[in-house]
Amino acid sequence: MYRKIYILPLFLLLLVSFNKADSATILHTSDPVNFVKNSDPLPSWNDGALKKEIIAYVTKVTKKGGPDFIPVEDRIATFDNDGTLWAEKPYVQELFAFYRVKKMVEAKPELAQKQPFKAVVEKNKTYFETGGEKALIELVAATHTGMTEDEFEAEAKEFFAGAKYPGKNVPLKQIRYQPQLELLNYLRANGFKTFIVTGGTIELVRAISADFYGIPKYQVVGTSFKYKFDDATNSIQREPALDLLNDKEGKPVGIQLHIGQRPVFACGNEGGAGDLAMLRYSQGSKYPSFQMIVNHDDAAREYSYEEKDNLSLNTATKYKYHVISIKDDWKKIFPDK
C-alpha cells in the first residue's frame, strides 16, 4: 500500500514542472568544492550583518575553553537541498521523473498511449489536476521503483550527466548556490559534519552529493521507499511503498533515524514551509545553535516567490531564525561549473 501522505507533496511537485522557469542571470566563480581557505571564508556573501553573525557563531563555538564551545562530535549541520543548496523552480526530482518516463516510452512506445505516461509526454497538467491518486501512484511506481539500487543509481548518474535546467539551459551543477557551497566548506574547515536533509528521494541526492557538495552519500537524509534484500541476486530491491516522507515533521524523524542527534546548525528555505520542523528541532539543542532560512527575493538573478501565508518568514521572526535575503546577502548566486 502507498502512504497517502506522499501524494500531495508529489502532486504539487509534478505540477510545477509544466511551468517554464523564469530566466535568471548566472554569475560565475570558482568551484567551491576545491575552495582554498583564505582570510575571507565566504567571499560570495556580501559583507553585511548576517555574514558577520555566521562567522561570529562559528568562531565562538569552536574556541576551545570558551563558554560556548561545542565538541567536534556534536558539531552537526543540516541543510535542506531544494531551494537551499540548489534552485527549485522546477524541482530536479520531477525532471528525473520525466526523464525516466521518456526512457520507458522509448523502450516501449505503446506506453505513450497509456496514462499517466500519455499525460507526461503531452505535457498535460490537467490530467494530474483531475486524474486523482491512481494516475500519480502509477507514475511514481513506474519511475522510481521495480529495480535494484545499483540500477537506480546508474539511471540517476546518467540523468545528471546530461540534464540541462529549464529556463537556464545549463548543467545541473550550475544551479547550485555558490554562497552555500562556501558555507559548507567553511563549516567543515571548522570541524562541523555537514548533512543534506531533503524532501527529495534519498538515493537520487546520494548519487551526486559527493560531487556536487562534498558530502558523502551516508550523510544524506531523504524521502525513502521500502527496500528488501533479494538473496538470489544479492541485491537490494526498492518496492512501490513509501518508508519515510522526509518533509516537514518528517525531517526531525529522519534526522533521528540517520544521525541520532540534534543539529546545532540548520538551514532551510522559504517556499513550502517544509523546513520549519527541522529548524525548530535544531533550536532545542543543549548547545548554542544557529538557524537560517533562504528567502527567494531576487527575481533578477534567481527567482522571487513566497508562501501565501508567509508562514516560514513569520516563524523566523517568532523564533529569531536568521533570514538570508538572496538579493541583499549574496554577492554571487551560481558557480560556473
Side-chain angles (χ1 to χ4, degrees):
M1 293 293 292
Y2 290 84
R3 289 174 56 184
K4 292 185 178 180
I5 191 171
Y6 187 50
I7 298 305
L8 181 57
L10 184 60
F11 176 67
L12 296 175
L13 176 150
L14 287 169
L15 292 184
V16 174
S17 66
F18 291 103
N19 299 320
K20 292 183 67 176
D22 297 331
S23 60
T25 301
I26 296 182
L27 301 176
H28 304 297
T29 187
S30 60
D31 187 342
V33 170
N34 297 313
F35 184 74
V36 178
K37 187 176 180 179
N38 58 33
S39 58
D40 183 357
L42 305 173
S44 295
W45 292 69
N46 284 319
D47 293 323
L50 181 54
K51 178 176 178 177
K52 292 177 181 176
E53 288 169 353
I54 293 170
I55 293 173
Y57 171 78
V58 172
T59 300
K60 76 176 184 179
V61 300
T62 57
K63 184 178 180 181
K64 196 167 185 178
D68 297 313
F69 178 75
I70 300 177
V72 171
E73 61 269 21
D74 294 319
R75 295 178 200 170
I76 302 298
T78 58
F79 286 77
D80 171 54
N81 190 38
D82 296 310
T84 300
L85 294 179
W86 67 14
E88 64 176 0
K89 295 291 183 178
Y91 290 105
V92 172
Q93 183 84 47
E94 69 199 43
L95 298 179
F96 175 73
F98 297 144
Y99 163 83
R100 287 278 299 138
V101 167
K102 183 175 183 293
K103 287 194 66 177
M104 293 176 69
V105 170
E106 288 174 350
K108 294 183 178 181
E110 62 271 21
L111 290 177
Q113 302 306 315
K114 298 179 180 180
Q115 296 290 16
F117 302 96
K118 188 173 186 291
V120 174
V121 171
E122 297 177 355
K123 298 183 178 180
N124 179 13
K125 74 174 183 178
T126 301
Y127 177 82
F128 292 101
E129 291 175 337
T130 61
E133 292 183 359
K134 183 176 182 295
L136 183 57
I137 290 173
E138 289 175 349
L139 180 60
V140 174
T143 58
H144 289 74
T145 65
M147 66 188 84
T148 69
E149 286 306 303
D150 290 338
E151 290 169 339
F152 183 86
E153 184 172 349
E155 285 287 302
K157 287 186 180 297
E158 182 179 285
F159 163 73
F160 280 104
K164 294 293 181 71
Y165 200 66
K168 294 180 172 64
N169 196 34
V170 298
L172 297 182
K173 254 194 171 182
Q174 289 179 234
I175 65 164
R176 299 172 300 164
Y177 298 138
Q178 175 73 23
Q180 296 289 64
L181 297 173
E182 292 169 0
L183 178 57
L184 289 172
N185 278 337
Y186 177 53
L187 290 171
R188 289 192 289 258
N190 284 275
F192 284 81
K193 184 170 286 189
T194 55
F195 290 80
I196 295 173
V197 179
T198 176
T201 57
I202 188 169
E203 300 297 351
L204 185 66
V205 178
R206 281 176 170 174
I208 49 83
S209 61
D211 183 33
F212 277 38
Y213 303 119
I215 294 176
K217 60 173 59 179
Y218 58 84
Q219 287 173 212
V220 175
V221 181
T223 294
S224 58
F225 292 95
K226 290 186 179 297
Y227 303 124
K228 68 177 181 180
F229 175 68
D230 184 348
D231 185 73
T233 60
N234 193 20
S235 64
I236 296 295
Q237 299 276 345
R238 55 170 51 207
E239 299 182 302
L242 196 70
D243 186 45
L244 172 67
L245 176 63
N246 196 64
D247 193 42
K248 297 183 174 158
E249 287 75 17
K251 287 200 171 184
V253 174
I255 289 170
Q256 179 61 35
L257 285 171
H258 288 266
I259 306 174
Q261 63 189 98
R262 295 178 192 257
V264 295
F265 193 105
C267 183
N269 83 109
E270 185 272 347
D275 301 315
L276 295 180
M278 177 176 72
L279 301 185
R280 184 70 176 137
Y281 186 57
S282 168
Q283 201 170 46
S285 173
K286 65 181 180 180
Y287 298 109
S289 62
F290 200 97
Q291 296 78 34
M292 292 198 299
I293 289 180
V294 177
N295 183 20
H296 299 273
D297 60 355
D298 194 330
R301 297 187 301 162
E302 201 243 0
Y303 305 108
S304 180
Y305 54 93
E306 59 188 17
E307 298 158 359
K308 290 182 179 180
D309 58 4
N310 209 39
L311 179 60
S312 290
L313 296 182
N314 287 340
T315 302
T317 298
K318 178 179 179 180
Y319 292 114
K320 296 182 170 55
Y321 301 153
H322 300 81
V323 176
I324 300 171
S325 165
I326 291 182
K327 183 177 180 180
D328 297 332
D329 291 314
W330 286 356
K331 188 183 302 180
K332 298 181 184 294
I333 307 292
F334 302 104
D336 60 358
K337 60 180 182 178

